[in-house]
Amino acid sequence: VVSTQSTGSSGINAEYGKQWYQRRVRGVLNYYTNYYYKSNLSSMVKSVQVFGRKKTATAVAFTKEGNGMIKVNGVPIDLIQPATLRYKVLEPVLLLGKKRFEGVDVRIRCRGGGATARVYAIRQALSKSLVAYYQSSWTRPPRRRSKTFF
């Protein structure tokens, strides 16, 4: 009786590796084709994700097109506690004016640190997110290199 299955590590493991590779390649190709078909420039949502830090507090701000909503951990920015530091969080809004924030939704997640450190991390994340959002939409002409560069 002759066995058709080979002994050793090259038998089942090699076949499994081949199947895994085929599934992996198929999955990667499907990912790129789906991404290609779904993402027209007109249907893409412009968004930016940045962070702010103070000591051990970290705030991550996700900014996208919207109608002016700013939330911190799911709560509107006007209800941030402690109330004495609320104006520190609102400084970017008061400094730049509400006009800049009208067409933008900002969601901020904040973790770690104490109350004061969180407030300053949120303020930094909010400021950086607005700058990055408007900077990503601003395009400049390509740089010209001098002929002496090459």
Side-chain angles (χ1 to χ4, degrees):
V1 178
V2 178
S3 174
T4 56
Q5 185 178 15
S6 65
T7 60
S9 63
S10 62
I12 296 172
N13 289 341
E15 187 63 32
Y16 176 75
K18 184 179 177 183
Q19 290 172 357
W20 178 85
Y21 179 74
Q22 288 172 347
R23 281 194 309 253
R24 178 73 178 146
V25 169
R26 211 176 308 124
V28 169
L29 291 177
N30 286 342
Y31 168 76
Y32 284 118
T33 53
N34 289 342
Y35 179 75
Y36 177 76
Y37 287 122
K38 287 182 182 176
S39 65
N40 301 338
L41 288 177
S42 60
S43 66
M44 284 179 61
V45 176
K46 188 171 73 168
S47 64
V48 174
Q49 187 173 6
V50 297
F51 66 94
R53 286 188 183 158
K54 175 71 174 175
K55 293 186 177 180
T56 57
T58 304
V60 179
F62 182 73
T63 306
K64 63 179 183 175
E65 295 178 35
N67 55 4
M69 177 188 68
I70 303 173
K71 287 193 173 186
V72 178
N73 292 337
V75 178
I77 197 168
D78 297 331
L79 302 177
I80 286 183
Q81 294 295 329
T84 54
L85 293 172
R86 192 173 295 150
Y87 279 104
K88 280 293 181 189
V89 175
L90 291 173
E91 273 182 358
V93 179
L94 298 173
L95 184 67
L96 296 173
K98 290 191 176 185
K99 184 178 179 183
R100 298 258 189 205
F101 287 91
E102 282 178 355
V104 175
D105 283 348
V106 183
R107 290 184 326 212
I108 302 173
R109 298 186 321 265
C110 190
R111 297 181 67 182
T116 305
R118 281 184 181 209
V119 166
Y120 282 99
I122 291 167
R123 181 177 77 157
Q124 185 182 27
L126 183 60
S127 302
K128 285 171 68 174
S129 69
L130 194 70
V131 168
Y133 179 80
Y134 283 114
Q135 194 172 19
S136 68
S137 64
W138 182 72
T139 57
R140 63 177 181 175
R143 292 183 185 170
R144 275 186 23 197
R145 294 200 172 179
S146 66
K147 293 180 182 181
T148 60
F149 181 80
F150 295 102

